[in-house]
Amino acid sequence: MLKLYSFGPGANSLKPMLTLHEKGLDYEQVLLDPRKFEHHSDWFKKINPRGQVPALDDRGHIITESTVICEYLEDEWPTEVKLRPDASWERADMRVWTKWVDEYFCWCVSTIGWHRYVGNMVKGLSDEEFEEKVKNIPVVEQQVKWRRAREGFPQEMLDEEMRKISYSVRKLDDHLRDHEWLVPSMYTLADICNFSIANGMQHGYPELVNKEDTPGLLRWIEQINERPAAKKMFADVPREIRHEDAKK
Amino acid sequence: MLKLYSFGPGANSLKPMLTLHEKGLDYEQVLLDPRKFEHHSDWFKKINPRGQVPALDDRGHIITESTVICEYLEDEWPTEVKLRPDASWERADMRVWTKWVDEYFCWCVSTIGWHRYVGNMVKGLSDEEFEEKVKNIPVVEQQVKWRRAREGFPQEMLDEEMRKISYSVRKLDDHLRDHEWLVPSMYTLADICNFSIANGMQHGYPELVNKEDTPGLLRWIEQINERPAAKKMFADVPREIRHEDAKK
């Protein structure tokens, strides 16, 4: 039995979750609560020593890193639904897009997300309580990020990340105006991995993602949301961050 | 006929070059000269609009991004020499390592490399000449990096990158003391991609990579250098940056 440890259906957690749903694979969903720092708890660090979700347990093999999990599912659990092209150059095209989301797009969106939500989440803690939490984080760069979120990110960094978000949104829209999917011939892991970061930006960044400025990107976001697998997933798995909260 | 556009056998250019040699595939090598900014020239941007090497031309299909090219070669050109495991979980393990080198290890080493070499390369140019070069760089973040290399990277950034390099070297050595290869059961693209960044650190960072502190890492670097494919590659393809220069 497949078992997926993750947060709710957003960002990196969404990638394998949507892949599993698209492929119609049965799996057990173990939701961790980021507000309780459950991913930094001892029990979970026994599963992933880096204290990061998502992580997939497949008959005792632990697979980590969201994009790696998605390709793993294609390798190990081939289904009639194919989310990876057969042609090698299309496969390469897919990987250029999943690499881009992992190295660029997800980071700028993540910093602003941390600025908006995580900052508020940890500001209520006393210094002592906060240090107690940080101590449990195994990755140094993550410790730095938690501290920055609490102190407030430098404005210069926020401006730079917003520039990167604008660029990313433009890049996706330029492509999606002329193509149904990122790899033009079919819906692939490239769409799933980029959608996982882009979905919700029409609410969180309405000044950037809207009908006038990014019709291609918006069409694609809506089109993926309308897929039966996505509908089922969003109906089945609760989200922990709601757009209403995001606007506060 | 396969055609590889690249710099000499170091860093990202080394990844597909060593993969091609290990697989024994015939290919045409087109060496670009970074000192002449050839990768930002119009002729090359027609091949890769991002102005980055390596890029592979396979019968008119252009494949970019070094790690993606390596997996492409495994997908499209299967050979008796296999550089990717058959078992899905080992494949995932391989991709966690190649993702790590792309997202973490290569960046810290690259910044220090730019600080040491590229800075000197562009300091001789007049402001006008330099701006003329920067104008041709299609990726904004690369423009920023060229400017930083000319002005000098902030000391704080250099310190942070050196911290990451120390961490990376430790991580590799910890693993390689107990395992012959990164994916324990076989030599894979994980080794090739990490070796491409690590090779030469025994000369460029002797205080970090040496027999006493990192015996596992050093053994692995030497072992890969001794492979017939690596020996043939280094004999055939000239390097543009020599260790003697690196020490100046």
Side-chain angles (χ1 to χ4, degrees), chain A residues 117-135:
Chain A
Y117 314 119
V118 179
N120 289 328
M121 202 168 100
V122 293
K123 272 171 194 155
L125 300 174
S126 71
D127 284 354
E128 224 177 23
E129 285 168 331
F130 180 72
E131 288 306 321
E132 192 60 34
K133 303 286 188 202
V134 168
K135 201 179 77 191

Side-chain angles (χ1 to χ4, degrees), chain A residues 32-82:
Chain A
L32 283 82
D33 189 341
R35 292 163 299 193
K36 293 186 186 154
F37 303 81
E38 257 187 297
H39 48 314
H40 302 148
S41 61
D42 289 338
W43 74 263
F44 183 68
K45 281 189 282 190
K46 278 183 199 149
I47 293 162
N48 182 5
R50 289 176 65 81
Q52 292 175 327
V53 289
L56 182 78
D57 181 338
D58 185 0
R59 295 158 286 172
H61 289 287
I62 303 294
I63 317 293
T64 60
E65 299 288 344
S66 54
T67 304
V68 174
I69 297 172
C70 293
E71 278 230 39
Y72 172 82
L73 289 168
E74 280 299 278
D75 283 336
E76 184 63 15
W77 295 89
T79 47
E80 264 191 48
V81 176
K82 279 187 188 183

